[in-house]
Amino acid sequence: MLADLPASTSAPDASVVRVLSYNIRSMRDDVAALARVIRACAADVVCIQEAPRFFRWRKAAARLARESGLVYVTGGATASGPMILSSLRAHVEHTEDVLLPRTPGLHQRGFATAVLRFGQARLGVLSCHLSINERERYVQGGLLLEQLGALGVPYAVAAGDLNDRPDGRTFGRLAGVLQDGWATAPWGREHTTRLGDPLQRIDAVFATAGVEVLGCGVPMGLPGVTVPDLRAATDHLPVLAAVRVPVAP
């Protein structure tokens, strides 16, 4: 059985926040299994990719939040797929959905962003799903770094489906500026592709300097996270991280 990550806490000088990143393939699979996985991770923030974004997408987002014991924060169709959910522990200070420049013939991409407060600690959050096109993806990596800086808080996390591996140009661009959660504090399973597919780590949680990464990885073996549910929920595996966010002076 996998040892759990540190629990969510708030103290006068810092807060521990659990962050989950999950590509849910537009909820086209077993939503009950998906909700069970999310609940078992006990995350304070969930960065979703491939959220429903067409007919009645808000109703689908509300259903996922309700069945996962969370609340909708921002994103979905308004960010072309990325979405942010949170527990009631989070106080939402600001949200913004950003659509990125689009290459003709490729999907529209975007960022869902928010500034959340946990106790007295403020955390910027960005959920992303980068392009399958290498050139467009690299440009989007630069825009991601710019958007994190524009959130106006000293501490932030970016999480999502990068469509790139750690040896890729875009992944390297992000890891050169931010902390790669798995590389900093590996925990759980590394690879995020569907069970049975070629082993790849294309989903990640990154953190800015000053955020302490306490552990990060795929929560396979975490109590309540079962292999049948992971197989039934979607075609990616989730990435769970625990981070310690200082209270800014």
Side-chain angles (χ1 to χ4, degrees):
M1 189 69 72
L2 182 64
D4 201 356
L5 287 177
S8 304
T9 59
S10 290
D13 62 334
S15 289
V16 174
V17 179
R18 291 167 66 114
V19 180
L20 182 69
S21 181
Y22 211 174
N23 183 320
I24 64 170
R25 196 159 71 157
S26 299
M27 295 170 62
R28 289 181 292 173
D29 301 287
D30 187 333
V31 177
L34 178 66
R36 285 194 296 270
V37 172
I38 295 174
R39 278 183 174 272
C41 290
D44 302 295
V45 183
V46 180
C47 292
I48 296 289
Q49 301 86 48
E50 290 195 35
R53 55 193 179 96
F54 296 112
F55 183 64
R56 293 184 176 175
W57 70 270
R58 292 184 186 276
K59 183 176 181 180
R63 177 191 174 191
L64 179 62
R66 180 177 64 253
E67 295 191 12
S68 303
L70 301 168
V71 295
Y72 170 84
V73 175
T74 194
T78 49
S80 198
M83 185 170 70
I84 298 174
L85 306 177
S86 79
S87 70
L88 292 175
R89 180 172 176 242
H91 175 81
V92 181
E93 293 191 355
H94 174 75
T95 65
E96 182 181 5
D97 297 328
V98 179
L99 293 178
L100 303 179
R102 179 174 174 270
T103 301
L106 297 177
H107 290 300
Q108 176 71 63
R109 303 283 177 171
F111 301 144
T113 74
V115 175
L116 307 176
R117 180 162 49 81
F118 299 91
Q120 296 304 310
R122 301 172 72 223
L123 180 67
V125 179
L126 185 151
S127 178
C128 67
H129 186 185
L130 302 187
S131 177
I132 60 172
N133 178 273
E134 197 277 336
R135 181 176 298 179
E136 184 181 53
R137 181 168 64 243
Y138 187 75
V139 171
Q140 291 171 353
L143 294 173
L144 185 157
L145 295 173
E146 291 179 10
Q147 191 63 38
L148 275 187
L151 292 178
V153 290
Y155 309 117
V157 294
D161 178 353
L162 304 184
N163 274 316
D164 203 21
R165 298 183 298 273
D167 60 352
R169 200 161 68 111
T170 303
F171 202 117
R173 183 176 195 176
L174 298 179
V177 178
L178 306 170
Q179 301 178 77
D180 172 8
W182 166 263
T184 303
W187 168 90
R189 187 180 193 267
E190 177 182 4
H191 301 106
T192 65
T193 42
R194 176 170 44 192
L195 295 170
D197 286 355
L199 297 177
Q200 298 184 80
R201 182 161 73 94
I202 59 174
D203 305 82
V205 176
F206 291 92
T208 58
V211 174
E212 182 182 0
V213 181
L214 304 174
C216 178
V218 174
M220 186 176 293
L222 191 72
V225 177
T226 69
V227 169
D229 277 351
L230 289 173
R231 290 185 183 277
T234 178
D235 62 345
H236 282 243
L237 297 177
V239 180
L240 178 62
V243 298
R244 183 178 182 274
V245 185
V247 174

